[in-house]
Amino acid sequence: MRLGILGAGAIGEKHANAATSVGVEVTRIVDRDGDRALALASNYDAASSNDPKSLWDDANVDAVVIGVPNCFHKPLAIDAMRAGKDVLLEKPMALTAVECDELMSVAEDTGRLLQVGYVHRFTAVGSGAKRVVDAGELGNVYHAKAHLFIRRGIPGLGGWFTTKAMSGGGCLIDLGVHLLDLSLFLLGQPTAVAVSGKTYSKFGVKMRDYVYESMWAGPPNYDGVFDVDDSAHAMITFDTGATLDLQVTWAGNLPSGALPDSLMGLFGDRGGLTFELFGDHLRLAHEIGGRNADSKLALPEADQMALQMVDFSNAVAARQHGVGATPAEGRKVQALVDAIYASSEHNAPVTL
């Protein structure tokens, strides 16, 4: 598979490194900043330009990774598929479920493979937890808990991340989608029937007063826009009867160390497990010899970006999806995001 990368920022560089590490050739890199595209392309002996059309017209590109601001996901993915390219599309799939429907329609019409970049399926803990669940070790999993707390880490304050027209939302559509996808993945892709959610925007009202610990997407632009959520909380009920408790923040006043920064938990009628999103082990609750017992399951190191690239490459070759998120699964996540925002806006549960 010969790969083109659209977006020469941090995520584009991660995909390029992952590709070369597993033997996938990077042949062209495109970014609206042509100098940035050239700088990254020079590391891989690849062509570069500032025009996406050069990717669509390049016969040496079989598939593309799209890693650009969220508002460009749908139009660029549609252009790529219509140009005959398979697509690994960074999360979120689009800004709304309706946009996801458009992408699914084009993928079906063109016969192109479209995979959504929910990379936590490929982490040591994500894939390890999936093996435990699928082996029946937990029995019937009836509840999941997922949280990711960042104390003061709003990315690029005043930039595209905090501008709803470009991002589609805040921490929920940025971080929460990873938790939603991983939860659905572990629960066996149930369908949500009811959502009660609330989102808050507490730290962007007076941007100059925001005391931050990190701002990885660039320095603050105090003349910019902040009209998105910086924390989100939801309870979701599925058609299986299972439930999910979701909590995520870009910024929240919890004392450092009071809770793990991230935690996934699964409650089953035979056992349960917990893990941190970036951890290297699972903690299991089960029974041994008629007694309650806790175990720690250490896991081998996993390079999730490289494993995702292998999975995408194999899917392109086989013309069918592997472990990676399908368009229907990407849409399912986005429908939950839409429902949480709707529930918050109307201060009432949403029935799906």
Side-chain angles (χ1 to χ4, degrees), residues 10 20 39 41 71 79 91 125 166 168 197 214 248 267 273 279 295 345:
T20 55
C71 61
D79 287 348
K91 61 79 191 172
V125 287
M166 296 190 70
S214 64
V248 59
F267 296 75
L273 66 78
S295 300
E345 180 181 358

Side-chain angles (χ1 to χ4, degrees), residues 196-217:
S196 181
K198 191 65 184 176
T199 64
Y200 300 92
S201 182
K202 296 295 185 182
F203 294 89
V205 177
K206 297 180 180 179
M207 288 194 286
R208 294 182 186 276
D209 296 333
Y210 172 65
V211 178
Y212 61 91
E213 297 176 358
S214 64
M215 196 169 293
W216 59 267

